[in-house]
Amino acid sequence: MKIQSIFCDGYGLFSQLLLSDIPGGLILFTGLNESGKTTLMEFLRTVLFGPPGRSNHRNEYLPLRGGNHGGRIRVVSHTHGTFLIEWNPSHWIITDPGGKKIDPPSFREILGNIDRQTYERIFAIGLADLQGLDVLKGEAVKARLLAASSGLGATSFPETLKNLDKEMLDLLKKSAQKPEINQFLIQLRDLQTAIKSLQGETKDYGILQSKLDHLKKITREKRTDEETIRSQIQHLENLEKAWEPWIRLSSAREKKVTWDFSAAFPPQGLERLENIKKESEELQGRKKTLEETEERFRKEKEFLVGFEKIISLKNDITMLTGEREKFTSSLEYLPHLREKRGRTEEVLQKRLQDLGP
């Protein structure tokens, strides 16, 4: 695995430090004492494996020059791709090449199941690890380095050899009634018998393994379907929540149209409408009177016989002629009054509908 880039947002004396496009091969960081070499090493330890256990002497490397405590690194694996690792005191996020968050144990498997202590003792040995306890010199220093390279922690290598010799002596001790080596041999024979029995079940194991892989595939597909269904359910729930506000909004828009029309209603509109109704009724009355007069004249005309009688009725005829002109004028004006009345009634009906029941 190769470190591709490093970003320290705020860690010790580093603030907004960015190292990008780190080349392959051996990379050497040099600098004076207290220039930040150990701080950078500890930053890599923490981002990769999390902070060490709490202790009274632990250096938390709080930001000294600003920035948020923490940072991120990008690493590339030849077999698993690129990973982004972000760390700060409140969270530790590892993102795989597909953008999905994975848990630290899964990432530790990608690292070869190496832990922080092994990484510190083998791949990232600091000055404090070399110094060991208060004073370690000569063979003690060599033993400690050998123990670190062997993954033995702080245990000295000579002491480990002594313990191994003691355990071997106990295993081969002849005075013991049941030497442990004999018990181990019995257990070994039992294990070999069990292995032969299991080897006969290899075929069944292959079939079961194939079924297991198939079930895993189906499980992944079902999980994908479940996520899709959950997304659809969430969408429907959102629509359900928005339904009532949408109804209120539509109702408000309809009322707004009514109010906009009411705003355009003429001043004293109802009073003017009543006057138009009265005028229409008066015109209807006049029309009826004129029609009655015309009918009377028609009947009287039928009874007029002879020219002499007509001469005797000259004055009446003259008067009727004048009345006829008035009647004709009224008849010519009657369609206009009917049209005006129709428009007035339409406006009235529409405004009454807008005002509601």
Side-chain angles (χ1 to χ4, degrees):
M1 183 169 290
K2 172 182 173 295
I3 298 177
Q4 192 177 58
S5 64
I6 301 172
F7 175 70
C8 292
D9 192 349
Y11 197 83
L13 55 84
F14 294 125
S15 176
Q16 304 296 311
L17 171 67
L18 175 62
L19 302 175
S20 59
D21 299 325
I22 299 176
L26 180 62
I27 306 298
L28 180 64
F29 291 92
T30 62
L32 300 175
N33 291 339
E34 303 299 328
S35 61
K37 300 185 296 299
T38 302
T39 301
L40 182 59
M41 180 181 66
E42 183 62 28
F43 175 75
L44 294 175
R45 290 174 172 176
T46 301
V47 175
L48 284 172
F49 300 98
R54 294 188 175 275
S55 65
N56 296 332
H57 303 289
R58 172 188 168 190
N59 185 355
E60 296 185 355
Y61 291 92
L62 298 176
L64 302 178
R65 298 179 180 177
N68 297 318
H69 192 195
R72 62 180 178 271
I73 65 173
R74 190 180 300 274
V75 297
V76 180
S77 170
H78 295 295
T79 57
H80 296 84
T82 303
F83 293 83
L84 179 64
I85 310 169
E86 302 177 77
W87 176 86
N88 65 42
S90 61
H91 69 260
W92 185 19
I93 301 176
I94 304 172
T95 308
D96 65 8
K100 182 180 178 181
K101 296 179 181 178
I102 62 176
D103 54 4
S106 299
F107 183 67
R108 190 172 294 116
E109 291 181 2
I110 297 173
L111 291 176
N113 290 315
I114 187 174
D115 57 9
R116 181 186 174 101
Q117 183 180 23
T118 305
Y119 179 79
E120 291 177 355
R121 298 300 172 85
I122 298 178
F123 300 102
I125 302 175
L127 183 59
D129 298 312
L130 293 175
Q131 291 173 344
L133 301 175
D134 294 337
V135 178
L136 291 177
K137 298 181 180 179
E139 294 300 325
V141 173
K142 295 179 182 179
R144 182 173 178 82
L145 290 175
L146 184 57
S149 64
S150 303
L152 299 176
T155 305
S156 65
F157 197 73
E159 183 180 351
T160 302
L161 291 176
K162 290 180 181 179
N163 292 332
L164 289 174
D165 291 338
K166 183 178 181 300
E167 291 182 4
M168 184 178 295
L169 183 60
D170 292 336
L171 288 174
L172 302 175
K173 196 172 183 180
K174 296 181 179 180
S175 60
Q177 295 180 355
K178 292 183 179 180
E180 292 188 21
I181 191 67
N182 294 337
Q183 297 179 19
F184 289 151
L185 290 174
I186 294 173
Q187 294 177 6
L188 178 60
R189 285 195 298 269
D190 294 339
L191 288 175
Q192 289 174 344
T193 303
I195 289 172
K196 290 181 180 180
S197 176
L198 292 175
Q199 286 176 346
E201 300 176 359
T202 303
K203 184 177 179 180
D204 296 337
Y205 173 79
I207 295 174
L208 293 175
Q209 185 65 38
S210 177
K211 290 182 179 179
L212 177 61
D213 294 339
H214 179 66
L215 291 175
K216 287 182 178 179
K217 180 180 178 181
I218 294 176
T219 302
R220 288 193 296 269
E221 294 175 353
K222 295 301 181 182
R223 285 178 179 174
T224 302
D225 295 340
E226 180 184 4
E227 292 177 358
T228 303
I229 293 173
R230 286 182 183 275
S231 177
Q232 293 175 352
I233 292 174
Q234 183 64 37
H235 178 67
L236 292 175
E237 289 178 351
N238 293 336
L239 290 178
E240 184 180 3
K241 292 178 181 178
W243 177 251
E244 185 175 351
W246 171 256
I247 294 298
R248 293 200 300 267
L249 177 61
S250 299
S251 177
R253 286 176 176 173
E254 293 176 358
K255 290 181 180 180
K256 182 177 180 299
V257 173
T258 303
W259 293 336
D260 292 342
F261 178 78
S262 301
F265 196 75
Q268 299 179 347
L270 293 177
E271 183 178 351
R272 292 171 61 183
L273 180 62
E274 292 296 330
N275 293 334
I276 291 173
K277 282 185 177 181
K278 290 180 181 179
E279 291 178 2
S280 177
E281 292 174 356
E282 291 177 358
L283 291 174
Q284 289 292 337
R286 290 177 60 186
K287 175 186 174 183
K288 184 176 181 181
T289 302
L290 291 174
E291 288 176 348
E292 292 175 352
T293 302
E294 181 183 12
E295 181 65 22
R296 180 169 54 82
F297 287 161
R298 186 182 63 75
K299 290 180 179 180
E300 290 178 357
K301 183 178 179 181
E302 292 177 354
F303 290 102
L304 291 177
V305 179
F307 181 74
E308 294 178 354
K309 191 173 181 179
I310 292 174
I311 295 299
S312 64
L313 297 173
K314 178 181 179 180
N315 294 332
D316 294 336
I317 293 173
T318 302
M319 181 180 68
L320 289 174
T321 301
E323 291 294 332
R324 183 176 182 180
E325 292 178 355
K326 292 180 180 179
F327 177 75
T328 303
S329 176
S330 298
L331 288 176
E332 293 176 352
Y333 190 67
L334 181 61
H336 175 71
L337 292 176
R338 287 177 177 174
E339 181 180 359
K340 184 176 180 181
R341 177 188 175 189
R343 289 196 304 269
T344 303
E345 290 178 350
E346 289 178 358
V347 172
L348 175 62
Q349 291 297 326
K350 184 176 181 181
R351 293 177 178 175
L352 289 175
Q353 290 177 0
D354 294 337
L355 290 175

